[in-house]
Amino acid sequence: MSWEKEKLILTALGVLLLCLMLFLLGVAFGTSTSNAEFKGSILPVLSVVGSWVSGIGALGAVLVALWISEKQRRSDKEHLELAFDFVVTQPYKNAVLMISAVSVGKRPSEINSIVIYSQGATAQMYIARFLPGSSAIPINLGYGKKAAWLCEEGFEHNIGSYLKTYCNSKASQLKICVSTTTVNFTLTPSEEMKKTLETFAKEAEPAPERI
């Protein structure tokens, strides 16, 4: 259960308790005919309400402790922020595709592979070679460290071939997957990038088919 839902439940319980207490006070006051009777009616009610308030407070403390523990557990893991775009770099005359990853998690990430795939496709496109100057694979990234891989010149045509053979020339479900030893991090290319890759798919040669 998320913390927002837990806060909503606690607030609702608090409002319900307040309404119930006011109702009991009203009943006790309405049924009493003298001060003595009023004291005899209201004090037991307040005692019961006090016990309920104490119980709700204990429940709230438990929920807060659980929320803090869950938040720490979720944050204590590796996480990568990925990017995929064309870049211009020397000494290449044409823009090349670059995949980058920044480690923003509390645990280091051991990156060991990068693939391109599409949901429903029968094969993935494993990227085996990168241009000089790219980060190594495998590579270990600690917090705040960045790795970047420059794809070979014309690699967009290879992606076009993959789309043509396995995705009916459509890039709508295309994903970039950077895998570590424990987690697969995925990135969905921008809509502009998808349209660009689809234009290459129309002119590309078919990719090798899965046997």
Side-chain angles (χ1 to χ4, degrees):
M1 182 184 296
S2 67
W3 175 236
E4 293 298 326
K5 291 183 178 179
E6 290 174 359
K7 287 194 296 184
L8 183 61
I9 292 174
L10 288 175
T11 302
L13 287 175
V15 172
L16 180 61
L17 181 62
L18 178 61
C19 293
L20 182 60
M21 183 176 65
L22 293 175
F23 172 76
L24 292 176
L25 286 173
V27 171
F29 181 79
T31 56
S32 61
T33 57
S34 66
N35 289 337
E37 292 177 351
F38 178 74
K39 292 179 180 179
S41 300
I42 199 63
L43 291 180
V45 171
L46 290 177
S47 176
V48 172
V49 172
S51 299
W52 289 356
V53 171
S54 176
I56 293 297
L59 176 61
V62 171
L63 291 176
V64 170
L66 291 174
W67 172 72
I68 293 175
S69 176
E70 178 66 12
K71 186 177 181 180
Q72 291 177 342
R73 185 190 68 81
R74 290 182 179 181
S75 62
D76 189 23
K77 62 181 181 180
E78 60 180 300
H79 184 70
L80 296 176
E81 290 185 352
L82 307 178
F84 177 61
D85 207 346
F86 282 100
V87 296
V88 177
T89 182
Q90 295 178 342
Y92 308 105
K93 295 181 179 180
N94 300 317
V96 296
L97 286 169
M98 183 181 78
I99 302 168
S100 63
V102 179
S103 176
V104 294
K106 290 188 176 181
R107 293 184 178 273
S109 297
E110 182 77 18
I111 299 174
N112 51 46
S113 67
I114 302 175
V115 300
I116 295 175
Y117 73 97
S118 181
Q119 295 181 359
T122 58
Q124 297 181 341
M125 184 178 183
Y126 178 81
I127 307 178
R129 296 192 302 269
F130 298 97
L131 291 175
S134 299
S135 300
I137 287 185
I139 185 173
N140 187 282
L141 294 183
Y143 177 79
K145 299 297 182 179
K146 180 178 181 179
W149 299 274
L150 298 171
C151 299
E152 293 183 318
E153 286 187 281
F155 187 72
E156 58 272 15
H157 295 282
N158 295 338
I159 298 178
S161 296
Y162 172 80
L163 293 175
K164 187 171 187 176
T165 303
Y166 294 99
C167 311
N168 196 26
S169 298
K170 299 297 183 182
S172 58
Q173 302 296 321
L174 197 67
K175 303 282 186 182
I176 312 297
C177 180
V178 177
S179 297
T180 70
T181 51
T182 58
V183 185
N184 294 325
F185 295 95
T186 60
L187 170 70
T188 300
S190 65
E191 292 301 318
E192 182 179 358
M193 176 64 75
K194 290 179 181 180
K195 292 179 181 178
T196 300
L197 296 175
E198 286 178 353
T199 61
F200 289 111
K202 296 177 181 178
E203 305 172 355
E205 296 293 328
E209 294 190 18
R210 178 177 177 179
I211 300 176

